[in-house]
Coordinates of all heavy atoms in Angstrom, one line a residue:
M177 N 114.7 265.1 206.2 CA 114.6 264.8 207.6 C 116.0 265.0 208.2 O 117.0 264.5 207.8 CB 114.2 263.3 207.8 CG 114.0 262.9 209.3 SD 113.3 261.3 209.4 CE 113.9 260.8 211.0
K178 N 116.0 265.7 209.4 CA 117.3 265.9 210.1 C 117.7 264.7 210.8 O 116.9 263.8 211.2 CB 117.1 267.1 211.1 CG 116.9 268.4 210.4 CD 117.1 269.5 211.4 CE 117.0 270.8 210.6 NZ 117.5 271.9 211.4
S179 N 119.0 264.6 211.0 CA 119.6 263.4 211.8 C 119.4 263.7 213.3 O 119.8 264.7 213.8 CB 121.0 263.2 211.4 OG 121.6 262.2 212.3
Y180 N 118.7 262.8 213.9 CA 118.5 262.9 215.3 C 119.5 262.0 216.1 O 119.2 261.3 217.0 CB 117.1 262.5 215.7 CG 116.1 263.7 215.4 CD1 115.5 263.8 214.1 CD2 115.7 264.6 216.4 CE1 114.7 264.8 213.8 CE2 114.9 265.6 216.1 CZ 114.4 265.7 214.8 OH 113.5 266.7 214.5
A181 N 120.8 262.1 215.7 CA 121.8 261.3 216.4 C 122.2 262.0 217.6 O 122.3 263.2 217.7 CB 123.0 261.2 215.4
P182 N 122.3 261.3 218.7 CA 122.6 261.9 220.0 C 123.9 262.8 219.9 O 123.9 263.9 220.5 CB 122.9 260.7 220.9 CG 122.0 259.7 220.4 CD 122.1 259.9 218.9
E183 N 124.9 262.4 219.2 CA 126.1 263.2 219.1 C 125.9 264.5 218.5 O 126.5 265.5 218.9 CB 127.2 262.4 218.3 CG 127.6 261.1 218.9 CD 126.7 259.9 218.7 OE1 125.7 260.0 218.0 OE2 126.9 258.8 219.3
K184 N 125.0 264.6 217.5 CA 124.7 265.8 216.8 C 123.8 266.7 217.7 O 124.0 267.9 217.7 CB 124.0 265.6 215.5 CG 124.9 265.0 214.4 CD 124.3 264.8 213.1 CE 125.3 264.3 212.1 NZ 124.8 264.2 210.7
L185 N 122.9 266.1 218.5 CA 122.1 266.9 219.3 C 122.9 267.5 220.4 O 122.7 268.7 220.8 CB 121.0 266.0 219.9 CG 120.0 265.5 218.9 CD1 119.0 264.4 219.5 CD2 119.1 266.6 218.3
V186 N 123.8 266.8 221.0 CA 124.7 267.3 222.1 C 125.5 268.5 221.5 O 125.7 269.5 222.2 CB 125.6 266.2 222.7 CG1 126.6 266.8 223.6 CG2 124.7 265.2 223.5
A187 N 126.0 268.3 220.3 CA 126.8 269.3 219.7 C 126.2 270.7 219.5 O 126.9 271.7 219.4 CB 127.4 268.8 218.3
I188 N 124.8 270.7 219.5 CA 124.2 272.0 219.3 C 123.5 272.4 220.6 O 122.8 273.4 220.7 CB 123.2 272.0 218.2 CG1 122.0 271.0 218.4 CG2 123.8 271.8 216.8 CD1 120.8 271.3 217.5
S189 N 123.6 271.6 221.6 CA 122.9 271.9 222.9 C 123.7 272.9 223.8 O 124.8 273.2 223.5 CB 122.7 270.6 223.7 OG 123.9 270.2 224.3
R190 N 123.1 273.3 224.8 CA 123.8 274.3 225.7 C 124.9 273.6 226.5 O 125.7 274.2 227.2 CB 122.7 274.8 226.7 CG 122.1 273.8 227.7 CD 121.1 274.4 228.6 NE 120.1 274.9 227.8 CZ 118.7 274.8 228.0 NH1 118.4 274.2 229.1 NH2 117.9 275.4 227.2
Y191 N 125.0 272.3 226.4 CA 126.0 271.5 227.1 C 127.2 271.2 226.2 O 128.1 270.4 226.5 CB 125.5 270.2 227.6 CG 124.3 270.4 228.5 CD1 123.0 270.2 228.1 CD2 124.5 271.0 229.8 CE1 121.9 270.5 228.9 CE2 123.4 271.2 230.7 CZ 122.2 270.9 230.2 OH 121.1 271.1 231.0
K192 N 127.3 271.8 225.0 CA 128.4 271.5 224.0 C 129.8 271.7 224.5 O 130.7 271.1 224.1 CB 128.2 272.2 222.7 CG 128.2 273.7 222.8 CD 127.8 274.4 221.5 CE 127.6 275.8 221.7 NZ 126.9 276.4 220.6
E193 N 130.0 272.7 225.5 CA 131.3 272.9 226.0 C 131.5 272.1 227.3 O 132.7 271.7 227.5 CB 131.5 274.4 226.3 CG 131.5 275.2 225.1 CD 131.6 276.7 225.4 OE1 132.0 277.1 226.5 OE2 131.4 277.5 224.4
F194 N 130.5 271.8 228.0 CA 130.6 271.0 229.3 C 130.8 269.5 229.0 O 131.5 268.8 229.6 CB 129.4 271.3 230.2 CG 129.3 270.3 231.3 CD1 130.2 270.4 232.4 CD2 128.3 269.4 231.4 CE1 130.1 269.6 233.5 CE2 128.2 268.6 232.5 CZ 129.1 268.7 233.5
F195 N 130.0 269.1 228.0 CA 130.0 267.6 227.7 C 131.4 267.0 227.4 O 131.6 265.9 228.0 CB 129.0 267.4 226.5 CG 128.6 265.9 226.4 CD1 127.6 265.4 227.2 CD2 129.3 265.1 225.4 CE1 127.3 264.1 227.1 CE2 128.9 263.8 225.3 CZ 127.9 263.3 226.1
P196 N 132.3 267.6 226.7 CA 133.6 266.9 226.5 C 134.4 266.8 227.7 O 135.4 266.0 227.7 CB 134.2 267.8 225.4 CG 133.2 268.6 224.8 CD 132.1 268.7 225.8
T197 N 134.1 267.6 228.8 CA 134.8 267.5 230.0 C 134.4 266.3 230.9 O 135.1 266.0 231.8 CB 134.7 268.8 230.8 OG1 133.4 268.8 231.4 CG2 135.1 270.0 230.0
L198 N 133.4 265.6 230.5 CA 132.9 264.5 231.3 C 133.7 263.2 230.9 O 134.2 263.1 229.8 CB 131.4 264.2 231.0 CG 130.4 265.3 231.4 CD1 129.0 264.9 230.9 CD2 130.4 265.4 232.9
P199 N 133.8 262.3 231.9 CA 134.5 261.0 231.5 C 133.8 260.3 230.4 O 132.6 260.4 230.3 CB 134.4 260.2 232.8 CG 134.2 261.3 233.9 CD 133.4 262.4 233.3
E200 N 134.5 259.5 229.7 CA 133.9 258.8 228.5 C 132.7 257.9 228.9 O 131.8 257.7 228.1 CB 135.0 258.0 227.8 CG 135.9 258.9 227.0 CD 136.9 258.1 226.2 OE1 136.6 257.0 225.7 OE2 138.0 258.7 225.9
D201 N 132.9 257.2 230.1 CA 131.8 256.3 230.4 C 130.5 257.1 230.7 O 129.4 256.6 230.3 CB 132.1 255.4 231.6 CG 132.6 256.2 232.8 OD1 133.0 257.4 232.7 OD2 132.6 255.7 233.9
I202 N 130.5 258.2 231.2 CA 129.4 259.1 231.4 C 128.8 259.6 230.0 O 127.6 259.6 229.7 CB 129.6 260.2 232.3 CG1 129.8 259.7 233.7 CG2 128.4 261.2 232.3 CD1 130.0 260.8 234.8
Q203 N 129.7 260.0 229.1 CA 129.3 260.4 227.8 C 128.6 259.3 227.1 O 127.6 259.5 226.5 CB 130.6 260.8 227.0 CG 131.2 262.1 227.4 CD 132.4 262.5 226.6 OE1 132.5 262.1 225.4 NE2 133.2 263.3 227.1
R204 N 129.1 258.1 227.1 CA 128.4 256.9 226.5 C 127.1 256.7 227.1 O 126.1 256.4 226.4 CB 129.3 255.7 226.6 CG 130.5 255.6 225.6 CD 131.2 254.3 225.6 NE 131.7 253.9 226.9 CZ 132.9 254.2 227.3 NH1 133.7 254.9 226.6 NH2 133.3 253.8 228.5
D205 N 127.0 256.8 228.4 CA 125.7 256.6 229.1 C 124.7 257.7 228.6 O 123.5 257.3 228.4 CB 125.9 256.6 230.6 CG 124.7 256.2 231.3 OD1 124.2 255.1 231.2 OD2 124.1 257.1 232.1
V206 N 125.1 258.9 228.5 CA 124.2 260.0 228.1 C 123.8 259.6 226.7 O 122.5 259.8 226.4 CB 124.9 261.3 228.1 CG1 124.1 262.4 227.5 CG2 125.2 261.7 229.6
Y207 N 124.7 259.3 225.8 CA 124.2 258.9 224.4 C 123.3 257.8 224.4 O 122.3 257.9 223.6 CB 125.5 258.6 223.6 CG 126.4 259.8 223.2 CD1 127.7 259.5 223.1 CD2 125.9 261.0 223.0 CE1 128.6 260.5 222.8 CE2 126.7 262.1 222.6 CZ 128.1 261.8 222.6 OH 128.9 262.8 222.3
Q208 N 123.5 256.8 225.2 CA 122.6 255.6 225.2 C 121.2 256.1 225.7 O 120.1 255.7 225.2 CB 123.1 254.5 226.1 CG 122.3 253.3 226.2 CD 122.0 252.7 224.8 OE1 122.9 252.7 223.9 NE2 120.8 252.1 224.6
R209 N 121.2 256.9 226.8 CA 119.9 257.4 227.3 C 119.2 258.2 226.3 O 117.9 258.2 226.2 CB 120.1 258.1 228.6 CG 120.6 257.3 229.8 CD 120.9 258.1 231.0 NE 121.5 257.3 232.0 CZ 120.8 256.6 233.0 NH1 119.5 256.7 233.0 NH2 121.4 255.9 233.9
M210 N 119.9 259.0 225.6 CA 119.3 259.8 224.5 C 118.7 259.0 223.4 O 117.7 259.3 222.9 CB 120.3 260.8 223.9 CG 120.7 261.9 224.9 SD 121.9 263.1 224.2 CE 120.8 264.0 223.0
R211 N 119.4 257.9 223.0 CA 118.8 257.0 222.0 C 117.4 256.4 222.5 O 116.5 256.3 221.7 CB 119.8 255.8 221.7 CG 120.9 256.3 220.9 CD 121.8 255.1 220.5 NE 123.1 255.6 220.0 CZ 124.2 255.9 220.7 NH1 124.2 255.7 222.0 NH2 125.2 256.3 220.0
I212 N 117.3 256.1 223.7 CA 116.1 255.6 224.3 C 115.1 256.7 224.3 O 113.9 256.4 223.9 CB 116.3 255.0 225.7 CG1 117.2 253.8 225.7 CG2 115.0 254.7 226.4 CD1 117.7 253.3 227.0
L213 N 115.4 257.8 224.7 CA 114.5 259.0 224.7 C 114.0 259.3 223.3 O 112.8 259.6 223.0 CB 115.1 260.2 225.3 CG 115.3 260.2 226.8 CD1 116.2 261.3 227.3 CD2 113.9 260.3 227.5
L214 N 114.9 259.2 222.3 CA 114.5 259.5 220.9 C 113.5 258.5 220.4 O 112.5 258.8 219.7 CB 115.7 259.5 220.0 CG 116.6 260.7 220.0 CD1 118.0 260.5 219.4 CD2 115.9 261.8 219.3
L215 N 113.6 257.2 220.8 CA 112.6 256.2 220.5 C 111.3 256.5 221.1 O 110.2 256.4 220.5 CB 113.1 254.8 220.9 CG 114.2 254.3 220.0 CD1 114.7 252.9 220.6 CD2 113.8 254.1 218.6
E216 N 111.3 256.9 222.4 CA 110.1 257.2 223.1 C 109.4 258.5 222.6 O 108.2 258.6 222.7 CB 110.4 257.3 224.6 CG 110.8 256.1 225.3 CD 111.3 256.3 226.7 OE1 111.4 257.5 227.2 OE2 111.7 255.3 227.4
E217 N 110.2 259.4 222.2 CA 109.6 260.8 221.8 C 109.7 261.0 220.3 O 109.6 262.2 219.9 CB 110.3 261.9 222.6 CG 110.4 261.7 224.0 CD 109.0 261.7 224.7 OE1 108.1 262.3 224.1 OE2 108.9 261.1 225.7
Q218 N 109.8 260.0 219.5 CA 109.9 260.2 218.0 C 108.7 260.8 217.4 O 108.8 261.4 216.4 CB 110.2 258.9 217.4 CG 109.1 257.9 217.3 CD 109.6 256.5 216.7 OE1 110.3 255.8 217.4 NE2 109.3 256.3 215.5
Q219 N 107.6 260.9 218.1 CA 106.4 261.5 217.5 C 106.6 263.0 217.5 O 105.9 263.7 216.7 CB 105.2 261.3 218.4 CG 105.3 261.8 219.8 CD 104.1 261.3 220.7 OE1 103.4 260.5 220.3 NE2 104.1 261.8 221.9
Y220 N 107.5 263.6 218.2 CA 107.8 265.0 218.2 C 108.9 265.4 217.3 O 109.2 266.6 217.1 CB 108.1 265.5 219.6 CG 107.0 265.2 220.6 CD1 107.1 264.2 221.6 CD2 105.8 265.9 220.6 CE1 106.1 264.0 222.5 CE2 104.8 265.7 221.4 CZ 105.0 264.7 222.4 OH 103.9 264.4 223.2
C221 N 109.6 264.5 216.7 CA 110.7 264.8 215.8 C 110.1 265.3 214.4 O 109.0 264.9 214.0 CB 111.6 263.5 215.5 SG 112.4 263.0 217.0
D222 N 110.9 266.1 213.7 CA 110.5 266.6 212.4 C 109.2 267.5 212.4 O 108.5 267.4 211.5 CB 110.4 265.5 211.4 CG 111.7 265.0 210.9 OD1 112.7 265.8 211.1 OD2 111.8 263.9 210.4
K223 N 109.0 268.2 213.5 CA 107.9 269.2 213.5 C 108.5 270.6 213.7 O 107.8 271.4 214.3 CB 107.0 268.8 214.6 CG 106.3 267.5 214.4 CD 105.2 267.2 215.4 CE 104.5 265.9 215.1 NZ 103.4 265.6 216.0
G224 N 109.7 270.8 213.2 CA 110.2 272.2 213.3 C 110.8 272.5 214.7 O 111.0 273.7 215.0
N225 N 111.0 271.5 215.5 CA 111.5 271.7 216.8 C 112.9 271.0 217.1 O 113.1 270.6 218.2 CB 110.5 271.4 217.8 CG 110.0 270.0 217.7 OD1 110.6 269.2 216.9 ND2 109.1 269.6 218.5
Y226 N 113.8 270.9 216.1 CA 115.0 270.2 216.2 C 115.9 270.8 217.4 O 116.4 270.0 218.2 CB 115.8 270.3 214.9 CG 117.0 269.5 214.8 CD1 117.0 268.1 214.7 CD2 118.3 270.0 215.0 CE1 118.1 267.3 214.7 CE2 119.4 269.3 214.9 CZ 119.4 267.9 214.8 OH 120.5 267.2 214.7
K227 N 116.1 272.1 217.4 CA 116.9 272.6 218.5 C 116.2 272.5 219.8 O 116.9 272.3 220.8 CB 117.1 274.1 218.1 CG 118.1 274.4 217.0 CD 118.3 275.8 216.7 CE 119.2 276.0 215.5 NZ 119.4 277.4 215.2
H228 N 114.9 272.6 219.9 CA 114.2 272.4 221.1 C 114.4 270.9 221.6 O 114.7 270.7 222.8 CB 112.8 272.7 221.0 CG 112.0 272.8 222.2 ND1 112.2 273.7 223.2 CD2 110.9 272.0 222.6 CE1 111.3 273.5 224.2 NE2 110.6 272.5 223.9
I229 N 114.3 270.0 220.7 CA 114.5 268.6 221.1 C 115.9 268.3 221.6 O 116.2 267.6 222.5 CB 114.1 267.6 219.9 CG1 112.7 267.7 219.5 CG2 114.7 266.3 220.1 CD1 111.8 266.9 220.5
A230 N 116.9 269.0 220.9 CA 118.3 268.9 221.3 C 118.5 269.3 222.7 O 119.2 268.7 223.5 CB 119.2 269.7 220.4
Q231 N 117.9 270.4 223.1 CA 118.0 270.9 224.5 C 117.4 270.0 225.5 O 117.9 269.7 226.5 CB 117.4 272.4 224.6 CG 118.0 273.4 223.7 CD 119.5 273.6 223.9 OE1 120.1 273.4 224.9 NE2 120.2 274.0 222.8
I232 N 116.1 269.6 225.2 CA 115.4 268.8 226.2 C 116.0 267.5 226.4 O 116.2 267.0 227.5 CB 113.9 268.7 225.8 CG1 113.2 270.1 225.8 CG2 113.2 267.7 226.6 CD1 111.8 270.1 225.3
L233 N 116.2 266.7 225.3 CA 116.7 265.4 225.4 C 118.1 265.3 226.0 O 118.4 264.5 226.9 CB 116.7 264.6 224.1 CG 115.3 264.4 223.5 CD1 115.4 263.6 222.2 CD2 114.3 263.8 224.5
T234 N 118.9 266.3 225.7 CA 120.3 266.3 226.2 C 120.2 266.6 227.8 O 120.9 266.0 228.5 CB 121.2 267.4 225.6 OG1 121.2 267.1 224.2 CG2 122.6 267.4 226.1
S235 N 119.4 267.5 228.1 CA 119.2 267.9 229.6 C 118.7 266.7 230.4 O 119.2 266.4 231.5 CB 118.2 269.0 229.7 OG 118.7 270.2 229.1
I236 N 117.7 266.0 229.9 CA 117.1 264.9 230.6 C 118.1 263.7 230.7 O 118.3 263.2 231.8 CB 115.8 264.4 229.9 CG1 114.7 265.4 230.0 CG2 115.3 263.0 230.5 CD1 113.5 265.1 229.2
A237 N 118.8 263.4 229.6 CA 119.7 262.3 229.6 C 120.9 262.6 230.5 O 121.4 261.7 231.2 CB 120.2 262.0 228.2
L238 N 121.4 263.8 230.4 CA 122.5 264.2 231.2 C 122.2 264.1 232.7 O 122.9 263.7 233.6 CB 123.0 265.6 230.9 CG 124.3 266.1 231.5 CD1 125.5 265.2 231.3 CD2 124.6 267.5 231.0
Y239 N 121.0 264.7 233.1 CA 120.5 264.7 234.4 C 120.4 263.2 235.0 O 121.0 262.9 236.0 CB 119.2 265.3 234.6 CG 118.6 265.2 235.9 CD1 119.0 266.0 237.0 CD2 117.6 264.3 236.2 CE1 118.4 265.9 238.2 CE2 117.0 264.1 237.4 CZ 117.5 265.0 238.5 OH 116.9 264.8 239.7
R240 N 119.8 262.4 234.2 CA 119.7 261.0 234.6 C 121.0 260.2 234.8 O 121.2 259.4 235.7 CB 118.7 260.2 233.6 CG 117.3 260.7 233.8 CD 116.4 259.9 232.8 NE 115.0 260.4 232.9 CZ 114.1 259.9 232.1 NH1 114.4 259.1 231.1 NH2 112.9 260.4 232.2
S241 N 121.9 260.5 233.8 CA 123.2 259.9 233.8 C 124.0 260.3 235.0 O 124.6 259.5 235.8 CB 124.0 260.2 232.6 OG 125.2 259.5 232.5
L242 N 124.0 261.6 235.3 CA 124.8 262.1 236.4 C 124.2 261.6 237.8 O 124.9 261.3 238.7 CB 124.8 263.6 236.4 CG 125.7 264.2 235.3 CD1 125.6 265.8 235.3 CD2 127.2 263.8 235.5
Q243 N 122.9 261.5 237.8 CA 122.2 260.9 239.0 C 122.7 259.5 239.2 O 122.9 259.0 240.3 CB 120.7 261.0 238.9 CG 120.1 262.4 239.0 CD 120.3 262.9 240.4 OE1 120.1 262.3 241.4 NE2 120.8 264.2 240.4
A244 N 122.8 258.7 238.1 CA 123.2 257.3 238.2 C 124.7 257.2 238.7 O 125.0 256.3 239.4 CB 123.0 256.6 236.9
F245 N 125.5 258.1 238.2 CA 126.9 258.0 238.5 C 127.3 258.7 239.8 O 128.4 258.4 240.4 CB 127.7 258.6 237.3 CG 127.9 257.7 236.2 CD1 127.0 257.5 235.2 CD2 129.1 256.9 236.1 CE1 127.2 256.7 234.2 CE2 129.3 256.0 235.0 CZ 128.4 255.9 234.1
L246 N 126.5 259.6 240.2 CA 126.9 260.3 241.5 C 126.0 259.8 242.7 O 125.3 260.6 243.3 CB 126.7 261.8 241.3 CG 127.6 262.4 240.2 CD1 127.3 263.9 240.0 CD2 129.0 262.2 240.5
V247 N 126.0 258.5 242.9 CA 125.2 258.0 244.0 C 125.9 258.2 245.3 O 127.1 257.8 245.5 CB 125.0 256.5 243.7 CG1 124.2 255.9 244.9 CG2 124.3 256.2 242.4
P248 N 125.2 258.9 246.3 CA 125.8 259.2 247.6 C 126.3 258.0 248.3 O 127.3 258.0 249.0 CB 124.7 259.9 248.4 CG 123.7 260.3 247.4 CD 123.8 259.4 246.2
A249 N 125.7 256.8 248.1 CA 126.0 255.6 248.9 C 127.4 255.2 248.6 O 128.1 254.5 249.4 CB 125.0 254.5 248.5
R250 N 127.9 255.5 247.4 CA 129.3 255.1 247.0 C 130.3 255.9 248.0 O 131.5 255.4 248.1 CB 129.6 255.6 245.6 CG 129.0 254.8 244.6 CD 129.4 255.2 243.3 NE 128.7 254.6 242.2 CZ 128.9 254.8 240.9 NH1 129.8 255.8 240.5 NH2 128.2 254.2 240.0
H251 N 130.0 257.0 248.5 CA 130.9 257.8 249.3 C 130.5 258.0 250.8 O 130.7 259.0 251.3 CB 131.1 259.1 248.6 CG 131.4 259.0 247.2 ND1 132.6 258.5 246.7 CD2 130.7 259.3 246.1 CE1 132.5 258.5 245.4 NE2 131.4 259.0 245.0
E252 N 129.9 256.9 251.3 CA 129.5 257.0 252.8 C 130.7 257.2 253.7 O 130.5 258.0 254.6 CB 128.8 255.7 253.1 CG 127.4 255.6 252.5 CD 126.7 254.3 252.8 OE1 127.3 253.5 253.5 OE2 125.6 254.1 252.4
E253 N 131.8 256.6 253.4 CA 132.9 256.8 254.4 C 133.6 258.1 254.3 O 134.3 258.6 255.2 CB 133.9 255.6 254.2 CG 134.6 255.4 252.8 CD 133.7 254.8 251.8 OE1 132.7 254.2 252.2 OE2 134.1 254.9 250.6
N254 N 133.5 258.8 253.1 CA 134.1 260.1 252.9 C 133.1 261.0 252.1 O 133.2 261.0 250.8 CB 135.4 260.0 252.2 CG 136.2 261.3 252.2 OD1 135.7 262.4 252.5 ND2 137.4 261.3 251.8
P255 N 132.2 261.7 252.8 CA 131.2 262.5 252.1 C 131.8 263.6 251.2 O 131.2 264.1 250.3 CB 130.4 263.2 253.2 CG 130.7 262.4 254.4 CD 132.1 261.8 254.2
S256 N 133.1 264.0 251.4 CA 133.7 265.1 250.5 C 133.8 264.5 249.1 O 134.1 265.4 248.2 CB 135.0 265.6 251.1 OG 135.9 264.5 251.1
L257 N 133.8 263.3 248.9 CA 134.0 262.7 247.6 C 132.7 262.7 246.8 O 132.6 262.3 245.7 CB 134.5 261.3 247.7 CG 135.9 261.1 248.2 CD1 136.2 259.6 248.4 CD2 136.9 261.8 247.4
W258 N 131.6 263.3 247.4 CA 130.3 263.3 246.7 C 130.4 264.0 245.4 O 129.8 263.7 244.4 CB 129.3 264.0 247.6 CG 128.0 264.4 246.9 CD1 127.5 265.7 246.8 CD2 127.0 263.6 246.4 NE1 126.4 265.6 246.1 CE2 126.0 264.3 245.8 CE3 126.9 262.2 246.2 CZ2 124.9 263.9 245.2 CZ3 125.8 261.7 245.6 CH2 124.8 262.5 245.1
I259 N 131.2 265.1 245.3 CA 131.4 265.8 244.0 C 132.8 265.3 243.5 O 133.8 265.7 244.1 CB 131.4 267.3 244.2 CG1 130.1 267.8 244.8 CG2 131.7 268.0 242.9 CD1 130.0 269.2 245.1
P260 N 132.8 264.5 242.5 CA 134.1 264.0 241.9 C 134.9 265.1 241.3 O 134.4 266.2 240.9 CB 133.7 263.0 240.9 CG 132.3 263.4 240.5 CD 131.7 264.0 241.7
P261 N 136.2 265.0 241.3 CA 137.1 266.0 240.8 C 136.8 266.5 239.4 O 136.9 267.7 239.1 CB 138.5 265.3 240.8 CG 138.4 264.2 241.8 CD 136.9 263.8 241.7
W262 N 136.4 265.6 238.5 CA 136.1 266.1 237.1 C 134.8 266.9 237.0 O 134.6 267.6 236.1 CB 135.9 264.9 236.2 CG 134.9 263.8 236.6 CD1 135.2 262.7 237.3 CD2 133.5 263.9 236.5 NE1 134.1 262.1 237.6 CE2 133.0 262.7 237.1 CE3 132.6 264.8 235.8 CZ2 131.7 262.5 237.1 CZ3 131.3 264.5 235.9 CH2 130.8 263.4 236.5
F263 N 134.0 266.9 238.1 CA 132.7 267.7 238.1 C 132.9 269.0 238.7 O 132.1 269.8 238.5 CB 131.6 266.9 238.8 CG 130.3 267.4 238.6 CD1 129.7 267.2 237.3 CD2 129.5 267.9 239.6 CE1 128.4 267.7 237.1 CE2 128.3 268.4 239.4 CZ 127.7 268.2 238.1
R264 N 134.0 269.2 239.5 CA 134.2 270.5 240.1 C 134.5 271.5 239.1 O 135.3 271.2 238.2 CB 135.3 270.4 241.2 CG 134.9 269.5 242.3 CD 136.0 269.4 243.4 NE 135.6 268.5 244.4 CZ 136.3 267.5 244.7 NH1 137.5 267.3 244.2 NH2 135.9 266.6 245.7
C265 N 134.0 272.7 239.2 CA 134.3 273.7 238.2 C 135.1 274.9 238.9 O 135.0 275.1 240.1 CB 133.0 274.3 237.5 SG 131.9 275.0 238.7
R266 N 135.9 275.5 238.1 CA 136.6 276.7 238.6 C 135.7 277.9 238.5 O 135.0 278.1 237.6 CB 137.8 276.9 237.7 CG 138.9 275.8 237.8 CD 140.0 276.3 237.0 NE 139.7 276.9 235.7 CZ 140.5 277.2 234.7 NH1 141.8 276.9 234.8 NH2 140.0 277.8 233.7
V267 N 135.8 278.7 239.5 CA 135.1 279.9 239.6 C 136.1 281.1 239.4 O 137.1 281.2 240.2 CB 134.3 280.1 240.9 CG1 133.7 281.4 241.0 CG2 133.3 279.0 241.0
E268 N 135.9 281.8 238.4 CA 136.8 283.0 238.3 C 136.1 284.3 238.6 O 135.1 284.6 238.1 CB 137.3 283.0 236.8 CG 138.3 284.1 236.5 CD 138.7 284.0 235.0 OE1 138.8 282.9 234.5 OE2 139.0 285.1 234.5
I269 N 136.7 285.0 239.5 CA 136.1 286.2 240.0 C 136.8 287.4 239.3 O 138.1 287.5 239.4 CB 136.1 286.4 241.5 CG1 135.4 285.2 242.2 CG2 135.6 287.7 242.0 CD1 135.5 285.1 243.7
R270 N 136.1 288.2 238.7 CA 136.7 289.4 238.0 C 136.1 290.6 238.6 O 134.9 290.8 238.8 CB 136.4 289.4 236.5 CG 137.0 288.2 235.8 CD 136.7 288.3 234.3 NE 137.3 287.2 233.6 CZ 137.3 287.0 232.4 NH1 136.7 287.8 231.6 NH2 137.8 285.9 231.8
V271 N 137.0 291.5 239.0 CA 136.5 292.8 239.5 C 136.5 293.9 238.4 O 137.5 294.0 237.7 CB 137.5 293.3 240.6 CG1 137.1 294.6 241.2 CG2 137.6 292.2 241.7
A272 N 135.4 294.4 238.2 CA 135.3 295.4 237.2 C 136.0 296.7 237.6 O 135.7 297.2 238.7 CB 133.8 295.7 236.9
S273 N 136.8 297.2 236.7 CA 137.4 298.5 237.1 C 136.5 299.6 236.7 O 135.9 299.6 235.6 CB 138.8 298.6 236.4 OG 138.6 298.5 235.0
G274 N 136.4 300.6 237.5 CA 135.4 301.6 237.2 C 135.9 303.0 237.3 O 136.8 303.6 237.4

């Protein structure tokens, strides 16, 4: 039986590079949400879909956690704070030489 530990699932998910950039409190929250989801969805574990479960549970837990931490009401007085600095990403534009 494979280990369905949240940390291992995140490590193979599509978020493996993004996840370490999140604040620790959000990371802990995502792991906790994943533990709950694993209990709720344990009937689907060990049916040859380990990587699929890793993608789905990480996506759901991350979405719910970010929704909980990014509440618009916290930033009513300054709407520009809606996207916290740690969540902003850099966009690199490359011009192809031809």
